[in-house]
Amino acid sequence: LPIEGPQAGPLTRRRTIGVNVGGVLVGGDAPVVVQSMTNTDTADIDATVAQVAALSKAGSEIVRITVDRDEAAAAVPRVRERLERLGLDVPLVGDFHYIGHKLLADHPACAEALAKYRINPGNVGFKDKKDRQFGAIVETAIRYDKPVRIGVNWGSLDQELLTRLMDINNDLPQPKSARAVTREAIIQSALMSAELAEEIGLARERIILSAKVSNVQDLITVYRDLSRRTNRCLHLGLTEAGMGSKGIVASSAAMGILLQEGIGDTIRVSLTPEPGGDRTREVQVAQELLQTMGFRQFLPIVAACPGCGRTTSTTFQELAEKIQSDIRENMPVWREKYPGVEALNVAVMGCIVNGPGESKHADIGISLPGTGESPAAPIFIDGKKAATLRGPNIAADFQLMVSDYIEN
Ligand code: SF4
């Protein structure tokens, strides 16, 4: 499936089996879907509704919530109802571990309200005495016509499978490293669980796989291998990516490479929020990752130079910031009124060294006066010089010009 990005050349997206998650298509011909997860106690209905609403409004197309005990399972249908009253139909995914089979059996309204169930084969195994747990969740998914994500995580990997593969490896003439065997165990856990789910009767179009690790190179290796071995729909994410810039860089590096190779149908950027931090940051980062790579368009891009000794004031940074925040504020209305506004490129540059050139590449751009330059700011629209702003109101005048450009 060739995808033409605004900045990238044609890429080949690996075609996977599409899965409908509560009305959102993941895989197949669909664009890469952004999803996120709450960190509220799901039993706290007010807090969970507020966070799901915030994530959804920020652009999360699917939201996962923890379902870890009876109180949480009982809250799920009420969360769903409250969201619908707010006019939000974002699909909710239930994150189940250990006792998911029991919670789904005891809370049919929860099973119905969720758009997808996440199963961790590492703690709801697929063999011996644990068979019933995995099978019961899959049977519930079949009964309620829901998809599942078989989500393997190396922090909770099936230890029996890992031990078996280690034993086989140790008997080889040239054994592989323990890390390589662990990667193989992650992949096999996902593939074998998917096969078992199908044997139980779940359709291929109802299965999404993930195989998350926290190391960038391991993640790339695991997903490359996984995508060579299956055409199942893939959920991509670096688990335990970490806080702040570390988490953003690690997630972007790992997922950027895989997405560039056409691997991944939906992404979650797992960031550890600062205490009291905004959970929607992970949605913003996921969107920016997809947009900067040219896969999707969510918000107009504001290109700004980093500034240097040629800029003596912070005017241009303030202007770039103001334009960006104006755009965020107005997007709900602009998106409705001006289809395609997401593709807008604005340039805010600090001086004439790169200012005019960069501005010409944007839809609308300004080159503010740097040190020693005449106090004039040339404006470029659609690649041509359209005006020169002067005086104390350059910033406000440019903001108006951006709004006019969008409206016209
Ligand atoms: Fe410095 Fe001008 Fe380059 Fe901005 S465009 S970084 S102000 S030289």
Side-chain angles (χ1 to χ4, degrees):
L1 178 66
I3 293 179
E4 293 280 349
Q7 293 145 27
L11 304 176
T12 304
R13 173 99 175 272
R14 291 180 190 228
R15 183 180 283 273
T16 57
I17 300 164
V19 177
N20 185 327
V21 179
V24 175
L25 186 64
V26 183
D29 291 336
V32 180
V33 170
V34 170
Q35 62 174 285
S36 60
M37 184 176 183
T38 57
N39 62 356
T40 55
D41 175 1
T42 302
D44 182 342
I45 295 170
D46 287 347
T48 303
V49 168
Q51 198 173 77
V52 172
L55 291 166
S56 170
K57 285 176 183 166
S60 185
E61 293 158 307
I62 294 173
V63 177
R64 183 159 44 116
I65 58 177
T66 299
V67 189
D68 58 343
R69 62 192 200 281
D70 284 311
E71 291 82 355
V76 169
R78 296 175 62 195
V79 169
R80 179 72 274 163
E81 280 165 25
R82 290 265 302 273
L83 289 168
E84 269 157 29
R85 267 188 261 141
L86 293 170
L88 297 171
D89 58 1
V90 60
L92 294 178
V93 178
D95 197 57
F96 293 102
H97 300 271
Y98 308 110
I99 58 166
H101 59 296
K102 193 172 175 310
L103 293 173
L104 285 167
D106 293 347
H107 298 273
C110 168
E112 181 59 49
L114 292 169
K116 186 178 75 175
Y117 313 147
R118 184 271 170 110
I119 311 176
N120 181 343
N123 56 41
V124 188
F126 52 87
K127 54 195 173 305
D128 303 333
K129 65 183 189 317
K130 290 192 278 184
D131 263 351
R132 288 191 304 278
Q133 301 177 7
F134 181 89
I137 297 182
V138 171
E139 281 162 10
T140 305
I142 295 167
R143 194 173 326 124
Y144 288 91
D145 196 19
K146 307 285 183 182
V148 301
R149 170 164 65 97
I150 295 170
V152 183
N153 189 307
W154 76 350
S156 49
L157 183 59
D158 182 331
Q159 290 304 304
E160 287 176 40
L161 173 63
L162 181 61
T163 304
R164 197 163 67 241
L165 291 182
M166 286 288 186
D167 289 344
I168 294 168
N169 184 58
N170 290 338
D171 289 340
L172 292 175
Q174 289 180 313
K176 293 183 175 144
S177 68
R179 209 174 182 93
V181 179
T182 304
R183 290 196 296 260
E184 178 61 21
I186 292 166
I187 294 166
Q188 285 202 18
S189 177
L191 293 177
M192 290 195 297
S193 300
E195 278 164 28
L196 183 69
E198 267 193 67
E199 277 170 32
I200 294 168
L202 193 64
R204 290 177 80 80
E205 298 77 18
R206 287 280 181 270
I207 300 172
I208 297 176
L209 296 185
S210 67
K212 295 191 184 180
V213 301
S214 61
N215 176 281
V216 170
Q217 294 295 349
D218 284 322
L219 191 88
I220 294 167
T221 305
V222 163
Y223 270 89
R224 275 180 180 157
D225 205 356
L226 189 58
S227 76
R228 270 195 294 266
R229 291 159 70 169
T230 184
N231 65 345
R232 294 182 191 279
C233 188
L234 296 182
H235 165 127
L236 206 57
L238 186 76
T239 192
E240 284 88 56
M243 295 181 73
S245 60
K246 188 262 171 194
I248 294 171
V249 170
S251 290
S252 304
M255 290 198 273
I257 287 169
L258 290 165
L259 289 166
Q260 181 72 5
E261 292 175 11
I263 300 168
D265 300 299
T266 174
I267 63 168
R268 186 209 169 189
V269 174
S270 308
L271 297 179
T272 307
E274 311 289 340
D278 186 355
R279 190 69 170 176
T280 60
R281 183 89 174 113
E282 67 176 49
V283 177
Q284 188 188 338
V285 172
Q287 287 187 333
E288 286 175 358
L289 173 61
L290 292 174
Q291 182 153 352
T292 53
M293 294 193 69
F295 291 109
R296 292 191 63 182
Q297 287 168 333
F298 298 97
L299 272 182
I301 287 176
V302 179
C305 75
C308 67
R310 294 181 66 90
T311 48
T312 49
S313 74
T314 55
T315 310
F316 91 96
Q317 289 105 316
E318 284 160 8
L319 179 57
E321 184 63 41
K322 186 78 183 79
I323 299 281
Q324 187 77 73
S325 62
D326 274 3
I327 285 170
R328 283 194 183 282
E329 210 171 286
N330 287 311
M331 270 311 277
V333 176
W334 285 350
R335 207 174 265 124
E336 295 283 313
K337 283 175 78 177
Y338 311 117
V341 68
E342 299 86 356
L344 182 78
N345 280 294
V346 183
V348 179
M349 301 293 289
C351 82
I352 57 164
V353 172
N354 291 322
E358 188 67 41
S359 297
K360 278 183 203 165
H361 291 301
D363 295 307
I364 176 165
I366 184 169
S367 177
L368 286 159
T371 20
E373 294 174 20
S374 74
I379 307 294
F380 291 81
I381 293 179
D382 297 332
K384 294 191 183 72
K385 189 169 171 190
T388 302
L389 297 179
R390 288 188 172 82
N393 298 321
I394 287 178
D397 291 348
F398 183 62
Q399 278 174 254
L400 279 178
M401 291 184 82
V402 173
S403 297
D404 280 353
Y405 183 87
I406 291 168
E407 285 166 20
N408 293 309

